[in-house]
Amino acid sequence: MEGRLLRAPPKIKILEAAGSIADGRVKILEDKGSKVRAVVESSMGDRSYNVTLEIVNPKVFIASSNDNGTRFRGYIGYPIISVMMIKGVIPRNREVEESLRGIPWRVLNEQFKSYEKVLEEVTRSIEAKGGKHLVVKVKEYADNVMKDLLRYKVYSRE
């Protein structure tokens, strides 16, 4: 396969992807079945990420996104994950998505400079919205999506 194989993302990026869907920040520009073009707006609304996703087969994808995680860190960035969710490649959970609505991801990332600390803050927010039951559901969802991502091969076009 041509291109660089992207690594699995930090688990928090799965939550960020689900939150971007709840916030209505994912816009599909073109959907030709196995090829999709989309734009994902950042949580602050000041950046947008251009995403393409090609489904080669049920376990192999070719993707591109101009987010930092994909371009510079070599993992499947949250904009790509959000498009995979919308396309049904990754199962969605509306309750999980709603629990992540309105989270200022970039503000938290810049404030804490640690995905672990951001996750702690996000977990507090989820618990405030729906209690420990919802926190468990979100964690299970993220774990299941990570298992899916580890079974896939996602190659970067860049």
Side-chain angles (χ1 to χ4, degrees):
M1 183 66 48
E2 202 173 304
R4 143 182 89 133
L5 181 63
L6 295 172
R7 292 178 286 112
K11 200 175 287 186
I12 196 163
K13 294 301 173 179
I14 294 165
L15 304 182
E16 192 169 356
S20 70
I21 293 170
D23 290 339
R25 297 187 282 115
V26 183
K27 307 284 185 254
I28 301 296
L29 302 177
E30 182 178 46
D31 187 342
K32 295 182 175 179
S34 65
K35 291 184 181 179
V36 182
R37 270 187 335 106
V39 171
V40 179
E41 190 176 293
S42 70
S43 60
M44 300 306 295
D46 60 341
R47 297 179 188 169
S48 59
Y49 305 109
N50 299 309
V51 179
T52 60
L53 179 70
E54 181 179 348
I55 304 168
V56 176
N57 67 50
K59 298 237 186 263
V60 178
F61 306 86
I62 299 171
S64 68
S65 176
N66 57 328
D67 67 281
N68 289 340
T70 302
R71 288 180 64 205
F72 302 119
R73 296 190 185 102
Y75 61 73
I76 306 165
Y78 88 86
I80 293 172
I81 298 167
S82 66
V83 172
M84 292 173 88
M85 289 172 171
I86 286 177
K87 279 298 288 178
V89 171
I90 294 172
R92 291 176 59 187
N93 182 310
R94 306 280 191 221
E95 185 179 10
V96 168
E97 290 171 6
E98 283 303 312
S99 75
L100 298 162
R101 180 186 294 276
I103 292 178
W105 295 96
R106 194 163 93 227
V107 169
L108 295 176
N109 287 330
E110 289 173 0
Q111 179 181 351
F112 294 111
K113 301 191 184 330
S114 159
Y115 289 146
E116 190 176 307
K117 289 180 181 168
V118 171
L119 184 56
E120 289 171 11
E121 187 65 26
V122 169
T123 300
R124 278 193 284 278
S125 171
I126 295 166
E127 190 170 348
K129 290 177 184 177
K132 291 195 184 302
H133 157 78
L134 187 56
V135 170
V136 169
K137 187 176 273 194
V138 170
K139 183 186 180 319
E140 287 173 354
Y141 176 75
D143 289 345
N144 290 331
V145 169
M146 184 60 79
K147 286 177 191 168
D148 286 344
L149 289 174
L150 290 170
R151 285 192 286 263
Y152 299 151
K153 292 200 181 300
V154 180
Y155 294 89
S156 173
R157 288 183 198 261
E158 279 88 43

